[in-house]
Amino acid sequence: MGPDSKNTARLYYERRIHRVMDYIAAHLDQEMSLDELAGEAAFSPYHFHRLFTALTGESVGAYIRRLRLERAASHLLVYPERSVTETALRNGFASPAVFARAFRDRFGISASAWRIARKDCKAMRKDGQALGKDAIGLEGLPRYALPSWVPQRTSTETENTVEVLIEDMPALRAAYVRRLGPYRISACQAWEVLCRWAGPRGLLSRGHMLFSISHDDPTVTAESKLRYDACVAIDPDTKVDDQVGVVELPARRAARVRYCGPGNGILGVYQSLYGDWLPESGFVPADIPAIEIYYPEEGNAPEKDHFVMDICMPIIPA
């Protein structure tokens, strides 16, 4: 078997494992059996468990527990009106006691202490480590729903003002390439592969939406496990192969902000959107990731450090 054949075979396996990862993320509040997940990947349960562990570096059970804990940690901040017990049950934990032990084992503090410390913007690092045992973090975290990977604005910084549009985004189907690892690296890898697939098929021309999904919070998830998807919207009749996965995004209401400028200005838009606009808006983030839509025809050129993009944050009434 030559190098190309080996790469094709690996992509085939990765696509099927990624499909299971997406299924798990959509059903974290439910019980999932090994047979059920193996069926989603079209593998036998015996081989599926070993393949999943080999390709992700985690067992199926460990992966599900980690995602539940990381989503619960986020929910403790995004939904301050929910009790710790409600947060635990909404994220698939059988009891508050099970959740309490798992949360302390993962983050080193109780869920209540996590919520209080983050709201009070206290630094949580210990011996150079971030909040998770193996995560990478940023200090100075603002209140409410501001993602912890967005640094807090200092008192000497000028406030960012952004025009936020509320709009209903239709459901869409997209081809995607996923890469795991630090976003600064995985984003380049994912886009390189996606563009090689999409270009010959005419999917990089005007009228085809290009966007990305960053699934994980780098201050909670280890860099090696961060999930980044480079995506291109496709029609229902577009044929795909084992080089890409396919995702169906539901219709959603979103807060949409346009940004034009260098890469170092993007975090400032997130600061303003989450830290200034959101708390006064009457909305909270929906429990699905934000997407970033790019516009090459309008000058988006990451290789020149110039971005033309929309940040689209799914929202629901508070």
Side-chain angles (χ1 to χ4, degrees):
M1 181 182 292
D4 290 342
S5 298
K6 290 181 179 179
N7 289 336
T8 300
R10 182 176 180 85
L11 287 171
Y12 174 68
Y13 279 85
E14 286 181 347
R15 292 287 81 77
R16 292 163 78 174
I17 294 299
H18 290 167
R19 189 163 68 234
V20 176
M21 293 169 73
D22 292 338
Y23 183 86
I24 290 171
H27 298 83
L28 282 176
D29 58 344
Q30 304 170 24
E31 289 297 322
M32 292 170 278
S33 69
L34 185 62
D35 287 350
E36 177 185 357
L37 297 176
E40 190 69 22
F43 288 124
S44 72
Y46 178 85
H47 293 295
F48 165 69
H49 191 276
R50 287 159 177 77
L51 285 166
F52 188 95
T53 302
L55 290 174
T56 67
E58 295 177 278
S59 69
V60 177
Y63 181 80
I64 293 173
R65 284 192 298 274
R66 178 173 65 79
L67 259 62
R68 284 175 171 165
L69 281 169
E70 291 172 357
R71 191 175 76 163
S74 175
H75 283 189
L76 287 168
L77 308 179
V78 175
Y79 304 106
E81 73 283 359
R82 293 180 186 172
S83 67
V84 171
T85 295
E86 182 181 1
T87 300
L89 298 178
R90 281 177 176 264
N91 285 282
F93 290 91
S95 71
V98 171
F99 174 66
R101 287 194 298 271
F103 196 95
R104 185 176 288 278
D105 286 345
R106 174 67 175 85
F107 295 104
I109 58 175
S110 70
S112 297
W114 166 280
R115 170 178 273 171
I116 292 171
R118 285 275 178 128
K119 285 181 68 175
D120 291 345
C121 307
K122 293 180 179 178
M124 299 292 293
R125 294 185 183 185
K126 181 179 180 181
D127 298 329
Q129 298 298 313
L131 293 168
K133 290 182 178 179
D134 52 2
I136 294 176
L138 296 170
E139 296 181 1
L141 306 176
R143 66 180 181 88
Y144 196 53
L146 182 62
S148 48
W149 48 267
V150 178
Q152 184 181 16
R153 181 188 299 115
T154 67
S155 59
T156 59
E157 289 181 303
T158 302
E159 287 196 3
N160 298 289
T161 57
V162 295
E163 180 181 357
V164 180
L165 301 178
I166 306 298
E167 61 180 60
D168 293 319
M169 301 182 67
L172 60 87
R173 183 172 186 254
Y176 74 92
V177 169
R178 174 170 299 164
R179 288 294 179 266
L180 307 182
Y183 285 142
R184 65 186 181 276
I185 299 173
S186 59
C188 296
Q189 295 172 337
W191 280 111
E192 181 180 1
V193 175
L194 182 68
C195 289
R196 284 204 306 265
W197 178 85
R201 292 164 174 79
L203 298 176
L204 300 181
S205 59
R206 182 184 292 271
H208 290 89
M209 188 172 82
L210 301 174
F211 64 97
S212 66
I213 305 174
S214 301
H215 292 272
D216 303 298
D217 179 345
T219 71
V220 175
T221 303
E223 276 200 322
S224 62
K225 296 179 173 65
L226 296 173
R227 297 166 293 162
Y228 181 93
D229 294 349
C231 310
V232 59
I234 57 175
D235 296 326
D237 58 351
T238 300
K239 294 182 179 180
V240 298
D241 53 35
D242 290 332
Q243 299 179 69
V244 298
V246 175
V247 62
E248 306 280 350
L249 296 183
R252 78 274 307 268
R253 173 161 289 187
R256 188 166 182 152
V257 177
R258 172 62 59 95
Y259 174 73
C260 302
N264 61 12
I266 296 173
L267 285 182
V269 180
Y270 275 101
Q271 284 178 328
S272 188
L273 178 61
Y274 280 86
D276 300 327
W277 177 82
L278 186 63
E280 307 298 330
S281 69
F283 295 97
V284 295
D287 194 23
I288 48 179
I291 67 174
E292 294 180 354
I293 304 173
Y294 306 102
Y295 299 97
E297 67 275 10
E298 297 181 27
N300 183 73
E303 70 279 4
K304 298 179 181 178
D305 193 29
H306 182 74
F307 293 83
V308 181
M309 58 187 287
D310 283 348
I311 297 168
C312 300
M313 177 181 65
I315 52 175
I316 57 175

